[in-house]
Amino acid sequence: MSKSKTYYDNKIVKKPWGFEYVVYRDSNKLVVTLLNIEHNKSTSLHCHPNKNTGFVVLDGQTKLSFIRGGVDIYGLNKINIFRSRFHSTYAVTDAFIFEIETPEDKEDLIRLEDSYGREDKPYESSSHHLPKNDGFA
């Protein structure tokens, strides 16, 4: 029995570091998500075993960290993160980022470290979802 896929269209997903919102999906399993990471906050140190990720920083300055090393990314810089590579994004300023992932699968997530106590926890449940017209986006 296969697990049914959950889509996050028209939902703001609240995160302890800000929010994310799916802005585009195509039939070839590519999804573009808008991330807002608030100043001085960070995503978990995590990886995606089965998908590749690209980032385009639309506005703001971020530091993308890996197990070893990191890189500063800011306004219209882009980077690819290949599957299974642990990474974390820290917002030096408020940041808006397009995250491009293929294939789409929000459950493809392993959190190694997290400042908000979410290590070993799955993607945010529906209790973190808001309708997009809730004054958020």
Side-chain angles (χ1 to χ4, degrees):
M1 177 184 275
S2 68
K3 181 176 144 185
S4 68
K5 188 163 190 140
T6 301
Y7 293 101
Y8 296 89
D9 293 359
N10 297 315
K11 293 179 179 87
I12 303 294
V13 179
K14 281 288 294 161
K15 302 283 194 162
W17 43 259
F19 70 86
E20 63 181 41
Y21 175 72
V22 172
V23 296
Y24 176 81
R25 173 187 306 102
D26 78 4
S27 60
N28 294 319
K29 301 185 184 225
L30 174 128
V31 66
V32 178
T33 304
L34 175 66
L35 308 180
N36 168 237
I37 305 175
E38 297 167 0
H39 177 239
N40 283 334
K41 293 191 178 178
S42 179
T43 66
S44 60
L45 180 62
H46 65 281
C47 78
H48 310 287
N50 300 304
K51 65 184 174 185
N52 293 312
T53 303
F55 284 147
V56 178
V57 175
L58 301 172
D59 188 43
Q61 183 177 353
T62 65
K63 174 144 181 99
L64 185 62
S65 298
F66 304 102
I67 296 285
R68 292 191 181 137
V71 61
D72 293 327
I73 307 174
Y74 45 90
L76 299 182
N77 284 157
K78 61 186 183 310
I79 191 168
N80 291 321
I81 304 167
F82 297 103
R83 65 182 48 111
S84 297
R85 187 166 190 195
F86 281 96
H87 60 283
S88 176
T89 308
Y90 170 78
V92 177
T93 66
D94 283 340
F96 288 90
I97 301 165
F98 272 158
E99 176 184 62
I100 302 100
E101 297 177 314
T102 186
E104 177 181 12
D105 184 358
K106 293 294 186 185
E107 305 300 323
D108 182 36
L109 173 67
I110 297 172
R111 290 185 175 124
L112 185 63
E113 296 175 358
D114 184 70
S115 300
Y116 313 102
R118 300 175 303 157
E119 296 91 347
D120 300 321
K121 292 188 179 171
Y123 189 74
E124 278 67 20
S125 68
S126 61
S127 66
H128 293 87
H129 302 175
L130 302 170
K132 87 171 188 179
N133 63 357
D134 222 15
F136 227 60

